[in-house]
Amino acid sequence: MQAAGAPPPPPDVSHLAGPPKRVVITGGSRGFGFALAQEFLRMGDSVALCGRDAGRLEAAVAALRAECGDASRVQGLPANCSSPQDVQVG
């Protein structure tokens, strides 16, 4: 059992290892989405994060770029994925 107030363990995405991938993560600026981004970056993948709060998203992208050391592997797009106009292409 996890101690109260302790951060959750990182998600196990090791079964997804293989050639580098481009992973899109909605809700990637905090919590579980941010932890997923960290793990995919550790495996050599690139991540594209979506988040509703542009400021929080910008901070998350900066933190992940600093952590992985390669800014080209981390992109961010402010978007509310429950809003059709935010996710519509074209």
Side-chain angles (χ1 to χ4, degrees):
M1 183 164 211
Q2 187 173 319
D12 180 12
V13 294
S14 60
H15 63 285
L16 300 174
K21 294 171 281 307
R22 178 89 173 164
V23 181
V24 177
I25 302 173
T26 60
S29 61
R30 63 183 175 157
F32 189 73
F34 185 82
L36 278 173
Q38 289 176 305
E39 290 302 306
F40 279 113
L41 288 167
R42 283 188 193 112
M43 292 190 325
D45 299 321
S46 296
V47 297
L49 309 179
C50 295
R52 292 178 293 183
D53 184 312
R56 185 177 290 147
L57 180 64
E58 189 176 307
V61 167
L64 291 169
R65 285 177 173 169
E67 190 174 310
C68 81
D70 182 355
S72 69
R73 291 178 47 215
V74 183
Q75 302 300 316
L77 175 68
N80 180 348
C81 290
S82 67
S83 171
Q85 63 265 25
D86 280 4
V87 295
Q88 192 170 29
V89 176

